[in-house]
Amino acid sequence: MSIAPQDSELYDQAVAHLRALTGRNDARFHPGQFESIRALVEERARALVIQRTGWGKSAVYFISSLLMRKFGGGPALIVSPLLALMRDQVAAAERAGVRAAAVNSANATEWNEIRADIEAGTLDVLLVSPERLNNPRFRDEWMPSLMKSCSLLVIDEAHCISDWGHDFRPDYRRIRDLIGRLPSRVPVLATTATANSRVVADIQEQLGVTLPSQERGDAETSGDRAASERQGVFTLRGPLSRASLRLGVLNLPDNASRIAWLLEHLKDLPGSGIVYALTISAAEDTARILAESGYVVRSYTGRTDTGEREEAEEALKRNDVKALVATSALGMGFDKPDLGFVVHLGAPSSPVAYYQQVGRAGRATESADVLLLPGREDPEIWKYFATASMPTRENAEAVLAALQNAGRPLSVAALESAVNVKRTSLELLLKVLSVEDAVERVQGGWEATGRQWAYDAERYERIAEARRREQTAMLDYEAGTQCRMQFLADQLDDDTAEPCGRCDVCAGPWYPSEIDVESSRRAKNGLVKVGVPIEPRAQWPSGLPKLGIDHKGKIPEAERVERGRVLARLTDLGWGNRLREIFAADEAGHPIDGEVPADVGKACIGVLAEWDWSRRPSAVVAIPSRSRPQLVDSLAQGLSAAGRLPYLGQLELAPQSESATDRRGGNSAFSAASVWGKFRVGADLAAGLAELRGPVLLVDDLVDSRWTMTVAGRELHRAGADGVLPFALALQG
């Protein structure tokens, strides 16, 4: 480029917008920012910008949007992955004088007004989610005009395009088709802070890159970034080390010790911050224990309502709370430049995902503390989430067969009754199949396209192997044989990183490791609290009649079980580890059976003692178990003896169920169908029920879908039981 940036008219216009955006008259571009803007505005290029959090990627696309508008273009279209991110982006745009709006499920009442602003030419930026691009109404009514008027397409958090990335979103893959439909004059910008070379190559492929890389020397700045050009694509990659972050890893023996460390030392961490946990129950338990000890904290998980999430985010931004105790639901999109610390109770499954989460801290401060407290259960949790997110051949073929046989569009609810796939997994699978052109979302639901499709087992195995390598790398990070910041940068294929001089590997531990007796006592007392409610099923699944079971609508109250209890969830910080040991399998994958351990039995008695039931049980009945008969029988008999309640024995397995497969983990209709007709009340048990005055305690080992308890309880009701109170050792999830 022959014209120096500071000598160009475009530069003067761009820097004026930058100063309006920042509110500072002395603002200057970071190295690479103006080059990116120029590539978009002057060259109408496709650009990929990989820069650390806080570098100013949003400034690039907001300023480019304003410049394109000044040159007569229509609004920029920004594809953004999360509602929280859209909220922050709209707010940032408004502060800079950029007229922005978002179209999402939370503001449907504003859509007509937004569309009118687009048609009137008064909107600069429109933000949508990738899923919105496949919404039939939006696709048919909005996209044709947007394709004609759009002056810039921005793909934010572009690592979501790649199934090698840590936040893969299937709908991002359809952006390649969107780019293909754009007029050639429309520039495209993809941005991310977390992409290694493999993810970069995949993003470039999705952008339609086909030519080999060529160095673009005139875009180099002081050796701190690399740029390349591929068939109209400008790639800018900057250093990813974060000088403000002080990283550390503290290994403690168990969950109680990690909670105790927080109880004692959270107050000493700078400012306000985030405590990340791997599971919803861990986040909720930790927030409860901290709050009980006087800390002002809130939990933030996938179970948190949208309104409560917004309140929690604002409370943290105002420093009204010391911390949000969160799952990965709080990640991309949360912007608090002065966030003082990030603590992890348990490690994410990859260094790249970890870098993304800790990158929320220290964006506008000289120092922020980042500490990882890994757990021994981490690899097991990683394995569960990796398995749950991977489509299987069996499920994919079942979905396609159901759609083809239907001959008409099927809603997700209707499809769920035809295939044995849980709702969340089914929705993810439909997105994957849609991106691969095997199914299409239309008015009324989903339908098969009829195009040839084959399950790419080799590709999924490559992804699974990549995930396993990432998990190994995370364990290497914990081991601490290299500067921690340099290690994270290396994982992102940034070879410019040098030892930071601040982390616990470079400078020694900066965090206290001591835990006093009182903190340990409070942590243990908080974790040993036992008893998780099991809410009763009140309605039959809508798909039961299609499976040959003529029941639908509400379950009659006279046939419903009452609110029950389990000792704990398998994912709980307190009893979760102990229960996972009990439910572990042997090397061949077979369940390990045995009597209930004394400590677990004692805890179960504690649950019964604290149960706020309106009517005390008058007897105990067990659900027969093929996998752990000793465990269930000893639990039932132990509770019977401790409560001085008669033990009436087990329900019988109906003859036709003896060859049935217990399909735990399927969707609600199939789970209910798999236990329908499975149990019956024998003569001796019926006689015992006839003599009772009061409900029975129905005992099992593990609760998953709750249909076993629901169907078994119904049989007891029909045999004369005066109420059924479910109880089990553990709740799945």
Side-chain angles (χ1 to χ4, degrees), residues 59-294:
V60 170
Y61 55 71
F62 282 144
I63 293 171
S64 297
S65 300
L66 290 172
L67 291 171
M68 295 297 290
R69 292 280 288 146
K70 184 175 182 179
F71 298 150
L77 179 62
I78 299 179
V79 181
S80 188
L82 297 174
L83 289 179
L85 182 52
M86 289 187 198
R87 288 195 298 270
D88 280 349
Q89 287 166 323
V90 169
E94 290 174 349
R95 289 194 298 270
V98 180
R99 297 166 297 183
V103 173
N104 54 55
S105 58
N107 69 343
T109 58
E110 302 171 17
W111 289 6
N112 290 337
E113 182 181 347
I114 294 170
R115 195 169 174 187
D117 288 342
I118 294 173
E119 293 173 354
T122 58
L123 194 72
D124 299 318
V125 168
L126 178 68
L127 294 103
V128 299
S129 70
E131 289 78 11
R132 183 63 46 190
L133 298 175
N134 197 39
N135 177 278
R137 177 184 169 190
F138 187 85
R139 187 182 62 209
D140 297 339
E141 297 179 8
W142 292 64
M143 288 306 296
S145 61
L146 283 172
M147 288 297 93
K148 294 177 182 178
S149 64
C150 174
S151 63
L152 171 67
L153 173 65
V154 178
I155 308 155
D156 202 14
E157 304 293 353
H159 60 273
C160 296
I161 284 178
S162 174
D163 51 13
W164 301 107
H166 63 279
D167 280 314
F168 172 52
R169 297 274 287 271
D171 280 290
Y172 259 77
R173 282 217 168 242
R174 70 179 73 258
I175 291 173
R176 180 173 188 167
D177 297 331
L178 175 62
I179 294 171
R181 298 199 305 272
L182 283 172
S184 59
R185 69 179 186 279
V186 178
V188 179
L189 171 65
T191 68
T192 181
T194 50
N196 57 24
S197 295
R198 182 172 53 200
V199 173
V200 168
D202 202 11
I203 294 172
Q204 290 172 331
E205 180 185 348
Q206 300 309 308
L207 293 176
V209 180
T210 56
L211 295 182
S213 141
Q214 297 175 346
E215 288 302 317
R216 188 177 178 124
D218 55 356
E220 292 288 341
T221 303
S222 305
D224 66 349
R225 58 189 172 84
S228 65
E229 186 176 20
R230 300 187 180 193
Q231 196 177 346
V233 174
F234 171 93
T235 301
L236 179 76
R237 182 165 190 150
L240 299 178
S241 293
R242 296 283 306 282
S244 63
L245 301 184
R246 183 168 62 161
L247 302 171
V249 176
L250 176 58
N251 285 289
L252 294 170
D254 51 34
N255 285 320
S257 299
R258 290 189 284 277
I259 297 293
W261 190 94
L262 276 177
L263 287 171
E264 186 169 351
H265 300 296
L266 181 62
K267 64 182 183 299
D268 302 320
L269 293 174
S272 56
I274 302 171
V275 177
Y276 278 111
L278 294 186
T279 66
I280 291 174
S281 57
E284 292 175 344
D285 287 346
T286 301
R288 170 181 55 81
I289 294 169
L290 290 172
E292 289 172 351
S293 295

Side-chain angles (χ1 to χ4, degrees), residues 199-433:
V199 173
V200 168
D202 202 11
I203 294 172
Q204 290 172 331
E205 180 185 348
Q206 300 309 308
L207 293 176
V209 180
T210 56
L211 295 182
S213 141
Q214 297 175 346
E215 288 302 317
R216 188 177 178 124
D218 55 356
E220 292 288 341
T221 303
S222 305
D224 66 349
R225 58 189 172 84
S228 65
E229 186 176 20
R230 300 187 180 193
Q231 196 177 346
V233 174
F234 171 93
T235 301
L236 179 76
R237 182 165 190 150
L240 299 178
S241 293
R242 296 283 306 282
S244 63
L245 301 184
R246 183 168 62 161
L247 302 171
V249 176
L250 176 58
N251 285 289
L252 294 170
D254 51 34
N255 285 320
S257 299
R258 290 189 284 277
I259 297 293
W261 190 94
L262 276 177
L263 287 171
E264 186 169 351
H265 300 296
L266 181 62
K267 64 182 183 299
D268 302 320
L269 293 174
S272 56
I274 302 171
V275 177
Y276 278 111
L278 294 186
T279 66
I280 291 174
S281 57
E284 292 175 344
D285 287 346
T286 301
R288 170 181 55 81
I289 294 169
L290 290 172
E292 289 172 351
S293 295
Y295 283 106
V296 181
V297 298
R298 296 180 67 165
S299 64
Y300 187 111
T301 75
R303 278 204 290 252
T304 308
D305 292 337
T306 300
E308 292 179 3
R309 287 193 189 194
E310 292 182 31
E311 290 177 13
E313 291 168 16
E314 290 304 315
L316 183 56
K317 289 176 182 179
R318 295 191 305 266
N319 297 316
D320 291 343
V321 294
K322 180 64 178 177
L324 295 185
V325 187
T327 62
S328 58
L330 180 64
M332 293 184 299
F334 180 74
D335 183 16
K336 177 177 167 59
D338 63 340
L339 195 76
F341 64 87
V342 173
V343 176
H344 277 77
L345 291 177
S349 60
S350 80
V352 178
Y354 184 66
Y355 175 90
Q356 190 267 334
Q357 291 181 354
V358 303
R360 306 261 67 83
R363 296 176 59 177
T365 60
E366 292 185 2
S367 180
D369 289 342
V370 173
L371 184 63
L372 171 61
L373 306 175
R376 64 177 181 175
E377 69 277 7
D378 293 352
E380 187 176 341
I381 295 173
W382 299 342
K383 181 179 178 181
Y384 169 78
F385 284 123
T387 303
S389 63
M390 196 72 69
T392 67
R393 183 194 301 271
E394 179 185 12
N395 288 347
E397 291 177 346
V399 167
L400 288 175
L403 290 174
Q404 289 164 354
N405 293 336
R408 58 180 176 82
L410 292 180
S411 66
V412 174
L415 189 55
E416 190 179 19
S417 69
V419 296
N420 189 22
V421 185
K422 279 187 175 179
R423 175 67 66 95
T424 52
S425 298
L426 177 58
E427 290 173 339
L428 175 62
L429 178 55
L430 285 167
K431 290 177 181 179
V432 172
L433 292 173

